[in-house]
Amino acid sequence: MGPVENYSSDLFTVDEVHKIAVLDLRLLNLDRNPCNILVQQTDDCTNGSNLRLIPIDHGLTLPDCFQVSSYDLVWMSFSQAEAPLSQRTMDYIQAINVDDDIKFIESRFAVRPICLRNMKISTLLLQQARERQHQTRSRQDDNPFDK
């Protein structure tokens, strides 16, 4: 196991990169630098790679502002970040109930309301992006000229 900076990003699957991206976008992580993702080698190679990405250090999540920069999110430089979401990731995003998540957080942690509002906004934007990709896929599937 080691930091993501010790590996070529080409070794990671799209879903592994997207799972980190979804987490960071939901929590508005302001510090997903190359040392804040660990790479773990597993025996499971069912998704095309036996490397799993493990996010660590969530100290700069749920901020009270929207000052996220691309240099704060190392995965934005990975080619996989540009790939369409898999159906599994799309289903996960669709199933998110942000209001339930906020109630859960409020019942266990002292998080300022503005930070939870920002989480709600970022999650709703993520769900809208998911829906836009879904609609684009549906139109492409219905286009007889693409077949």
Side-chain angles (χ1 to χ4, degrees), residues 3-66:
V4 75
E5 66 184 349
N6 292 350
Y7 297 81
S8 167
S9 63
D10 295 337
L11 298 173
F12 312 129
T13 65
V14 170
D15 278 342
E16 283 297 304
V17 173
H18 284 177
K19 84 175 181 187
I20 303 293
V22 168
L23 175 68
D24 286 350
L25 293 172
R26 287 204 65 211
L27 299 179
L28 293 171
N29 190 335
L30 301 179
D31 188 29
R32 184 64 70 208
N33 66 62
C35 293
N36 287 342
I37 301 175
L38 296 179
V39 179
Q40 178 183 40
Q41 194 166 5
T42 69
D43 294 332
D44 180 15
C45 198
T46 55
N47 293 325
S49 174
N50 67 336
L51 299 178
R52 299 293 171 259
L53 299 178
I54 313 293
I56 62 169
D57 188 358
H58 309 293
L60 291 177
T61 59
L62 296 177
D64 58 6
C65 64
F66 282 104

Side-chain angles (χ1 to χ4, degrees), residues 115-131:
C115 300
L116 295 174
R117 180 208 65 181
N118 289 346
M119 184 182 102
K120 183 170 186 168
I121 291 168
S122 66
T123 300
L124 293 174
L125 287 172
L126 181 63
Q127 288 177 321
Q128 287 180 353
R130 177 248 173 242
E131 183 59 27

Side-chain angles (χ1 to χ4, degrees), residues 85 90 93-94 126-134:
L85 300 171
M90 301 250 302
I93 293 169
Q94 183 179 17
L126 181 63
Q127 288 177 321
Q128 287 180 353
R130 177 248 173 242
E131 183 59 27
R132 185 175 200 140
Q133 180 179 317
H134 175 72

Side-chain angles (χ1 to χ4, degrees), residues 60-80:
L60 291 177
T61 59
L62 296 177
D64 58 6
C65 64
F66 282 104
Q67 295 178 334
V68 180
S69 299
S70 61
Y71 60 81
D72 293 324
L73 302 170
V74 66
W75 51 262
M76 287 198 58
S77 66
F78 298 172
S79 62
Q80 298 91 325

